[in-house]
């Protein structure tokens, strides 16, 4: 089934950006953290004074991104949420399936393509969102549900966005074929470049923070170095589009999912690459004739899942030769051409995915059975992601431009 045309937005999304309706945090939410001794790491307290800023080349000179401040925009990354503090010094607890809506956020005037929690635990109250309305937004999605800042760096839809590992920058790419690395506080363009194709997938290297992969409507995936503003290497395959990119542990290898499905062959749907040599390791991983719009790595075991347009998620080994697990198939949700994301919970016990009917499906990773469904949105839910610190917090987004936080 062909993918939805991302350049056509539904009529209902046009009305979603005019106002914000928020539900306040439940009064009893703080009771779940009583008795736990708050802890602020010394590393965080000293970070701002002891960590020197690395100066990367800026291809656009002094040109900055257009930034609009929200109500609390000046405090984008300076605070530590009181709800997160008590969990920083303790091990992640078992994930709970959320039951109730905490915040409803509708500032985007177009479909939301991607959401991601800030990877820095102390700053994980922040959630980024990338939209067809040409903007990237940063939200306080834990305490207030408010939009902190809006970045208007692109002239067309923003298809992909990623936090840097330090949590102070956002890498974004879109249908204007441009890449931008933006400082979230100042809006300064630390890195900016024009590519030869519309961008649909971005991933930072897991251990080399200045390197990222970029793919899109092209046979090529490119590795960029922010420090030099140059392409390090090119990974070329006989495909027309890269749908998603997934680094395997330590970053020596990565996977790309593509649109290469035909009547005669299903090879090249998922391709494994050697990161350093740019050589193909395997293109005979998935043999069923469905494209895979998203990939996700298990946080503890050496496996990954692929979302398929066959309305199921397939499980694979993350080690060569990346064999499919024929005994497990996570099915019940609907994809129907949407780039529906999938993700494991931080403890690895649950697998969550959005669905084209607006629901969120929670699967037991071990049994592959549906634990619960959540009627989250009226239009297609394209992403559902667990908070990295708070065990029951979940963010979802949809094709109408809405973002919701659940607990």
């Amino acid at each position: 089934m062909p993918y939805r045309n991302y350049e056509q937005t539904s009529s209902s999304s046009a009305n979603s950006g005019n106002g914000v309706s928020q539900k306040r945090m439940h009064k009893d939410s703080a009771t779940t953290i009583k008795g736990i001794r708050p802890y602020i790491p010394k590393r965080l307290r000293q970070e701002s004074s002891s960590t020197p800023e690395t100066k990367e080349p800026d291809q656009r000179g002094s040109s900055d991104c257009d930034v609009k401040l929200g109500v609390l925009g000046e405090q984008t990354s300076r605070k530590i949420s009181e709800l997160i503090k008590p969990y920083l010094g303790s091990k992640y607890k078992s994930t709970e399936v959320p039951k109730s809506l905490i915040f409803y956020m509708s500032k985007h005037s177009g479909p939301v393509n991607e959401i991601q929690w800030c990877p820095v635990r102390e700053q994980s109250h922040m959630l980024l969102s990338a939209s067809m309305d040409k903007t990237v937004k940063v939200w306080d999605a834990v305490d207030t549900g408010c939009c902190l800042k809006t970045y208007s760096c692109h002239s067309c839809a923003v298809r992909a966005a990623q936090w840097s590992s330090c949590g102070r920058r956002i890498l974004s790419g879109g249908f204007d074929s441009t890449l931008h690395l933006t400082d979230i506080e100042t809006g300064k363009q630390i890195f900016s470049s024009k590519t030869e194709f519309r961008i649909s997938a971005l991933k930072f290297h897991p251990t080399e923070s200045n390197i990222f992969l970029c793919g899109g409507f092209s046979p090529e995936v490119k590795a960029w170095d922010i420090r030099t503003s140059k392409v390090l290497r090119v990974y070329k395959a006989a495909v027309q589009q890269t749908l998603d990119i997934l680094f395997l542990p330590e970053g020596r290898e990565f996977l790309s999912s593509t649109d290469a499905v035909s009547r005669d062959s299903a090879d090249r749907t998922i391709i494994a690459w050697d990161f350093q040599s740019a050589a193909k390791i395997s293109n005979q991983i998935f043999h069923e004739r469905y494209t895979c719009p998203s990939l996700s790595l298990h946080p503890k075991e050496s496996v990954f899942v692929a979302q398929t347009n066959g309305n199921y998620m397939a499980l694979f080994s993350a080690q060569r030769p990346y064999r499919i697990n024929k005994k497990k198939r996570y099915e019940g949700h609907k994809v129907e051409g949407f780039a529906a994301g999938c993700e494991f919970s931080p403890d690895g016990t649950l697998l969550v995915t959005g669905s084209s009917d607006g629901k969120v499906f929670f699967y037991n990773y071990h049994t592959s059975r549906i634990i619960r469904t959540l009627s989250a949105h009226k239009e297609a839910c394209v992403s559902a992601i667990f908070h990295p610190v708070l065990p029951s917090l979940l963010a979802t987004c949809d094709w109408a431009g809405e973002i919701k936080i659940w607990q």
Side-chain angles (χ1 to χ4, degrees), residues 132-170:
M132 299 296 287
D133 68 6
K134 308 177 187 178
T135 69
V136 174
K137 293 181 183 291
V138 173
W139 308 80
D140 180 346
V142 171
D143 292 314
T144 66
C146 290
C147 179
L148 298 174
K149 289 189 179 181
T150 300
Y151 306 90
S152 300
C153 307
H154 294 270
S155 60
C156 293
V158 185
R159 182 62 185 87
Q162 293 275 301
W163 287 100
S164 64
S165 60
C166 66
R168 296 192 296 269
R169 300 162 184 170
I170 292 175

Side-chain angles (χ1 to χ4, degrees), residues 13-193:
S13 66
N15 298 322
S16 64
N18 298 327
V20 181
S21 174
Q22 298 176 1
K23 290 192 175 183
R24 294 188 179 276
M25 187 74 73
H26 292 304
K27 291 181 180 180
D28 62 349
S29 62
T31 61
T32 60
I33 59 177
K34 284 185 178 180
I36 302 178
R37 186 178 180 182
Y39 171 75
I40 302 175
K42 183 177 180 181
R43 171 179 55 80
L44 179 66
R45 298 195 301 267
Q46 297 177 340
E47 185 179 29
S48 58
S49 60
S50 62
T51 304
E53 278 290 323
T54 302
K55 294 184 179 179
E56 286 95 3
D58 183 2
Q59 291 191 354
R60 287 175 48 176
S62 60
S63 180
D64 295 339
C65 183
D66 181 21
V67 182
K68 293 182 180 179
L69 294 180
V71 177
L72 303 174
E74 291 294 344
Q75 300 176 359
T76 305
S77 62
R78 299 172 192 171
K79 74 163 191 174
I80 301 177
S81 168
E82 293 298 326
L83 292 174
I84 293 174
K85 278 183 183 180
Y87 290 87
L88 296 177
S90 59
K91 189 177 180 182
Y92 184 91
K93 297 182 179 179
S94 60
T95 304
E96 301 173 11
V97 176
K99 300 177 181 178
S100 57
L101 178 64
I102 304 302
F103 296 122
Y104 164 66
M105 306 168 331
S106 61
K107 282 280 191 179
H108 280 297
S109 60
V112 178
N113 290 317
E114 187 157 21
I115 52 176
Q116 185 187 25
W117 295 104
C118 180
V120 178
R121 288 166 56 89
E122 294 82 3
Q123 299 169 16
S124 59
H125 63 285
M126 293 190 294
L127 180 80
L128 75 74
S129 59
S131 172
M132 299 296 287
D133 68 6
K134 308 177 187 178
T135 69
V136 174
K137 293 181 183 291
V138 173
W139 308 80
D140 180 346
V142 171
D143 292 314
T144 66
C146 290
C147 179
L148 298 174
K149 289 189 179 181
T150 300
Y151 306 90
S152 300
C153 307
H154 294 270
S155 60
C156 293
V158 185
R159 182 62 185 87
Q162 293 275 301
W163 287 100
S164 64
S165 60
C166 66
R168 296 192 296 269
R169 300 162 184 170
I170 292 175
L171 176 68
S172 59
F175 287 171
D176 58 359
S177 303
T178 61
L179 290 162
H180 297 295
L181 183 67
T182 306
D183 184 287
I184 64 170
E185 294 294 346
T186 65
K188 181 178 175 59
Q189 297 294 293
I190 298 167
F191 166 87
S192 186
S193 183

